[in-house]
Amino acid sequence: MTKTPAKAAGSAAPAGPRTPGPAEATRPPAASTRPTGTAGASGASGTAGGTEGSAPSAGGRRRAAAGSAASRKTGGAVPRTGASAPHDAGTAPKAPGGSAPEAGKAPARKKAPGGRGRVPVVPAAGWANPLRDGRDRRLPRIAGPSGLVIFGVTGDLSRKKLMPAVYDLANRGLLPPGFSLVGFARRDWEDQDFAEVVHDAVKEHARTPFREEVWQQLAEGMRFIPGDFDDDTAFKQLRDAVDELDASRGTGGNFAFYLSVPPKFFPKVVQQLKKHGLAEGPKGAWRRAVIEKPFGHDLASARELNRIVHEVFDPEQVFRIDHYLGKETVQNILALRFANQMYEPIWNRSYVDHVQITMAEDIGIGGRAGYYDGIGAARDVIQNHLLQLMALTAMEEPIAFDAEALLTEKLKVLKSVRLPEDLGAHTVRGQYAEGWQGGEKVVGYLQEEGIDPHSKTDTYAAVKLEIDNRRWAGIPFYLRTGKRLGRRVTEVAVVFQRAPHSPFDTTATEELGQNAIVIRVQPDEGMTVRFGSKVPGTSMEIRDVSMDFAYGESFTESSPEAYERLILDVLLGDANLFPRHQEVEESWKILDPIEAYWHEHGTPAQYRAGTWGPREADEMLARDGRSWRRP
Amino acid sequence: MKIDLTDTTASKINKALVQGRRAIGTPAVGMVLTMVIVTDEENAYDSIKAAEDASREHPSRTLVVIKRHARTLRDRTHSRLDAEVRVGSEAGTGETVVLRTYGEVSDHADSVVLPLLLPDAPVVVWWPVDAPDNPAEDPLGALAQRRITDLYAVEHPLEVLQTRVRHYSPGDTDLAWTRLTPWRSMLAAALDQARVQVTSAAVEAEAQNPSAELLARWLEARLDVKADRVVSGGPVVTAVRLGTAGGEIVIDRPEGPLATLTLPGQPPRTLALKVRPLSELIAEELRRLDADEMYAVALRGEGIKETV
């Protein structure tokens, strides 16, 4: 019972293309003859809205949830499937009166526990805003009354990403009136100085054009608290500022605390927040903590960190930022897999040969020597970004597009990961050596300033993982990341098996590779499908060609930056795109044995800067009869 | 790159499109919709520009249908189609075909447009001016999922608004409604904060403003109160007042992009609420291509309790 309506709603979009073109011409007249009918049907949820408080919001919510889920999943691809949407929207009200309300109710009940935060209404239940309606897709997801407190507001991340993202959100009209921004740092600043700094950061880094009126709206709600993390007076001041903002700006006690500080300060900051009563808001208000990677450097430290943070904040209210998950393409992996029919049937061991997930950077460690040395590429990138990408690529279909369901499926994948038995043969680490990178001479890792010349830290890491479940048994997932590689690129490549039988002779298919679907996460977000095609001419010759989908949105100012999206989600309480602590811990369980092995055995292989990694990595794949893609 | 074709046909235009794409070296296209603009020569430039700007967000094939009015009898009987094919940097991120029809073919523009639609992709028709009374019954309108009209471009907006109500069919939308989105989202956000029942409403705007009328109808439908229409000096909508037991919720935008939001018991604060350019309106329109049910609700202005 609960299943059927959900199915119907879910299949609505993909079903569309079946409608033949000519039907479009006949549809409108039919539709136009029943204005009153539409009013009756579309009023159905409206009617409920008038009678009592909770029912309409449930109905409205369901639709809102479905709508936003659909929009989120498909992301920029909406217009493509959009062809079908009008028909469905048009026909839906025609459904006999009996089934429509049922369709509305059942999923509403199902959605209730998880889906709440996704809807653009004030999270607190009991009052439904009559101006909001699930059918009203134009109204953006505006965060409810709230404020953001940034610790370490003078840092690079804050200046380059967070503050511009806040401005861009305001510029797009996605922040509530009265939104407030509080900075906390060890600087002798007044509110105005802070505003000045934000102003400069915004002017320099924001993606949307600078508009004085938006700035004014934001600047009114800016406060700065100077102080150390163990300075009680500073936290008292922060407490006062928060209370004052509630009164003067109507933030309603809802505050997110963004800890843009090195992890060693986390315990101090969260304890202070607790001590000064900042971790708990007034009744009905939320307090959230936002933390950045690294989430520890191994399982034990990650657990310790989680314990510290969870002591003060409810696990549900802790948002771990993995900015990759805020990217359109990553969300599109889910849309691609679960909103379409044509990929999922081949997305398994019967058709897939192997999967390569790459995150390559062309830069070196830059000024991060202090942080990077001793951590290395695997801990810095594989543990979070690559394992998350792998989980999204490999997971089963979640029962709903909400945080809980996604967590369940991702956890299942992470828990089924099996490490290769011979870690020496199937993992590789490297260090970049001096070389030429894109026409520039660069120094090797060991020569970088602030690095111990005998350091064994990896700047390149490649591992082979297998996922022990029915879908993926025996299919290797190759994960690699590195600094100073050929170019900056992040991609997921699903490489398919060769056709089991070829009617063409070997000379015809000599140049034919394996089919592949490549999801490019950055820099130019999009997707490539590689397949064989006949070369024009009289002879039969088949060669690889690529079909490319570049994200229409990616080169527009309208495409939100990952941080924008994530900050908005924090304010809305939507945890879909944030890894939970269980995922973090599972990821460490995968990486810890590899790190331990590396610690015991050998040293990192050297690779020339500007190349695609050490020879050992090529050998590692050659052992399996495969080779790395050149991304 | 630009290819001019005189006295041509749809199949020659299609050929020119392929040729153009080949010539600029990007034969693969990721266009997501076909946008048909039906306009006159006078409004063509602005609308094409807006569509091209919007195509940065929604890569599309834009077909501009310009009906030429011939002055001499000979020209009127002689039917002709001229086309201007633009691809590459001159056409935003998609391709643009400007079709000029003379004589009889003007009445059968759909026969030219139909073969030029992108396969399978949604179709949007936009009349910057001179929209038909019944967009869905129009031969070109019938090809589209989404039909965009603009009440700002008519002489007597409120009368035309009534025509729109009579002929509404799912997929219709109007830029006068699109212009309201920032207002509506701010009002919804204000009510999110106030969390009280609204007992009265008033919309202040310049006389004969169709957006104000739609806004008032929307408020009436959603809040189940009578909304007063107050004439002010403009420009466009200047203020909305929602009466509640505790006092008034007011968004006031006398002029310029800055508005003031007043909530009962809270100090006033400023809001950015600017009048958006055409390209942004079109981009918003193209974001959703299914029927805009809330527009229908606002058009009719029915109270929530009326329907069963």
Side-chain angles (χ1 to χ4, degrees), chain A residues 46-47 71 79 86 122 127 129-130 132-133 135-138 177 211 216-217 220 248-249 552 556 558, chain B residues 56-57 122 145-146 173 184 188 192-193 195 222 258 267 269-270 272 284-285 288-290 292-293 304:
Chain A
T47 323
S71 75
V122 180
W127 187 82
N129 187 340
R132 296 215 185 267
D133 187 306
R135 292 171 295 164
D136 202 341
R137 269 94 175 258
R138 286 176 196 267
R211 282 161 51 198
Q216 266 190 42
Q217 176 188 339
E220 277 180 17
S248 72
R249 306 270 300 165
T556 73
S558 305
Chain B
R56 257 173 263 284
E57 186 173 328
Q145 268 88 11
R146 194 82 186 223
T173 173
R184 297 194 303 122
D192 278 345
Q193 296 204 353
R195 304 174 68 81
R222 301 304 304 176
L258 261 189
R269 46 188 101 104
T270 49
E284 180 187 317
E285 274 310 320
R288 291 246 161 222
L289 296 170
D290 49 351
D292 188 346
E293 295 174 59
I304 291 173

Side-chain angles (χ1 to χ4, degrees), chain A residues 57-79:
Chain A
S57 74
R61 264 182 199 160
R62 184 192 67 85
R63 304 194 70 151
S68 69
S71 75
R72 171 99 50 94
K73 273 188 184 176
T74 38
V78 162

Side-chain angles (χ1 to χ4, degrees), chain B residues 76-88:
Chain B
R76 243 170 282 162
T77 47
H78 181 69
S79 155
R80 198 180 91 197
L81 169 70
D82 289 352
E84 187 184 319
V85 177
R86 303 180 199 167
V87 290

Side-chain angles (χ1 to χ4, degrees), chain A residues 365-382:
Chain A
I365 50 158
R368 293 169 72 216
Y371 160 72
Y372 202 84
D373 200 40
I375 294 289
R379 287 196 181 100
D380 191 36
V381 174
I382 292 184

Side-chain angles (χ1 to χ4, degrees), chain A residues 72-94:
Chain A
R72 171 99 50 94
K73 273 188 184 176
T74 38
V78 162
R80 267 181 196 279
T81 54
S84 58
H87 300 302
D88 297 309
T91 49
K94 272 195 228 154

